[in-house]
Amino acid sequence: QTIEIIIKLTGTNKLVYELVKDNYAKALKYNFYDIMKNYSFYLISYFSLKGDKKSMANEEEKYLKFLDLAQKEQFAKYLYMKVAVEFNRPTPITYELLDEVKENLDRFYVLRKEINNPEIDFYYFYLAFIYYEYNNELVEILELCNEADTLMDNNLEIVTNTRRFVISLYRARAFLSSRQYERGIALINDENRIKIADTGYNWYVLKEVEFKLYLQTKNFEKAYEVYENVQSNKSFKRQVAQLTERWKIYHAYLVFMDSYCNKRDYKFSLPKFLNDVPLNSKDKSGFNFAIRVVEILFNAARKDYNLIFSKMDALRIYRSRYLNDNTYKRNHLFLSILLKAEKSGFNAKEMLKIDSNELIELRKQNNYIIAEWEIIPYEELWDIFTELSEK
């Protein structure tokens, strides 16, 4: 910007030449192609005014190269935004959308190979992480994390805490979804990999993963510790309502699982809980389903089957209306076997005989997205529900 002002005031002079030469090597070192094309153009302009045809010819080749690379770099960023907007919209993730995203991701991959620029590499990583997570390609996520680590190890100047954090977060979530709980816990407790202030939104995202890892390993003491840590954070009340409500939902699952595993009395106020999560209760997908499931579990534990029966028709409509795309496939499968259980009158012997395609699909790993609202794997919840019916 300083050079542009000088040119407008005095034209391309020796000062412009000196400023460019001082910063040329630095911009080249970091592959700032948008800056390099301008620097190169300023030099061409200077050599033209000086009548230095040889120097101008030498710089012209660099200018055309940087112009091409800068254009490709900007187009790569455009592709990132073009795809990212689809994931940021409040719409379901369908197979058709994922196919479209994959096409753009492939184009991005080709561009990335043409441009030697870690900045573009990380745009690609972030986009690929989102795609692979929604497509439940967990092995690919872990391989991409390794590739990103190698890139940073070989280019220390591009390392930032944010980049380290994002890589670690996606790796931890992949461990969680692939049931590699101990590896996930070890990663989150590795202070050399994860350094993040406890005041930002990302800290809460990480704590959600940590909570689920402890919950699914039945380490309730640690899960309560994470929950209390979040609740006591001075910035917690300033977070968006959807986030603070999610922690009420997590707490409900924690109380239920602790009571179930340790034979406690399921002491928990469902009316108060349902009143405390209005936003997620109104959302017709996602954590709304988690709320409905934990409510059924508490009612089953308390033998309030009349309450469960009274809600099944609404759940049947809910399934047909809101759970018909890729994002909610596991929700749909789990609700389908619950509805089959209802037909048996929640008879334990009949429920044990249920070996439907839905249950088989649920027990398979890496078939469908394990969404963030699947706080306990649905196949495990089915086994718990069956055992509660036996009792």
Side-chain angles (χ1 to χ4, degrees), residues 152-263:
M152 287 190 286
D153 289 341
N154 294 332
N155 300 271
L156 295 179
E157 71 276 2
I158 70 169
V159 176
T160 66
N161 282 339
T162 299
R163 285 174 175 172
R164 287 284 192 203
F165 170 77
V166 171
I167 302 304
S168 295
L169 177 64
Y170 276 99
R171 183 180 274 121
R173 292 211 296 223
F175 286 150
L176 175 64
S177 293
S178 59
R179 317 292 202 264
Q180 299 182 65
Y181 303 135
E182 296 302 333
R183 294 185 70 184
I185 290 169
L187 172 64
I188 282 183
N189 288 323
D190 186 349
E191 295 182 357
N192 293 321
R193 280 192 171 274
I194 300 181
K195 297 176 182 177
I196 185 169
D198 63 0
T199 53
Y201 181 81
N202 282 341
W203 181 82
Y204 289 97
V205 173
L206 183 65
K207 286 297 170 184
E208 290 186 34
V209 178
E210 183 179 7
F211 174 86
K212 291 174 184 176
L213 286 166
Y214 285 129
L215 183 63
Q216 295 186 16
T217 53
K218 310 296 187 293
N219 192 336
F220 302 123
E221 183 179 348
K222 280 288 188 181
Y224 275 113
E225 187 178 307
V226 174
Y227 172 75
E228 293 299 335
N229 194 9
V230 168
Q231 295 294 307
S232 62
N233 191 307
K234 292 180 181 178
S235 68
F236 181 68
K237 291 182 179 179
R238 297 198 300 271
Q239 302 304 312
V240 294
Q242 285 87 347
L243 184 149
T244 57
E245 282 189 18
R246 280 206 300 273
W247 280 98
K248 292 183 173 71
I249 299 169
Y250 295 149
H251 180 249
Y253 276 85
L254 176 56
V255 172
F256 174 82
M257 289 300 296
D258 186 20
S259 297
Y260 171 78
C261 293
N262 294 311
K263 304 190 185 323

Side-chain angles (χ1 to χ4, degrees), residues 5 75 147 150 223 229 232 288 301 323 331 353 355 384 390:
I5 291 169
F75 186 70
E147 185 180 347
T150 300
N229 194 9
S232 62
N288 176 283
L323 303 180
N331 296 36
K353 293 177 183 177
D355 193 20
I384 291 172
E390 283 182 291

Side-chain angles (χ1 to χ4, degrees), residues 270 296 298-309:
L270 279 174
I296 288 174
F298 272 111
N299 286 328
R302 296 165 179 171
K303 303 301 177 188
D304 290 334
Y305 282 97
N306 286 334
L307 281 173
I308 298 176
F309 277 117

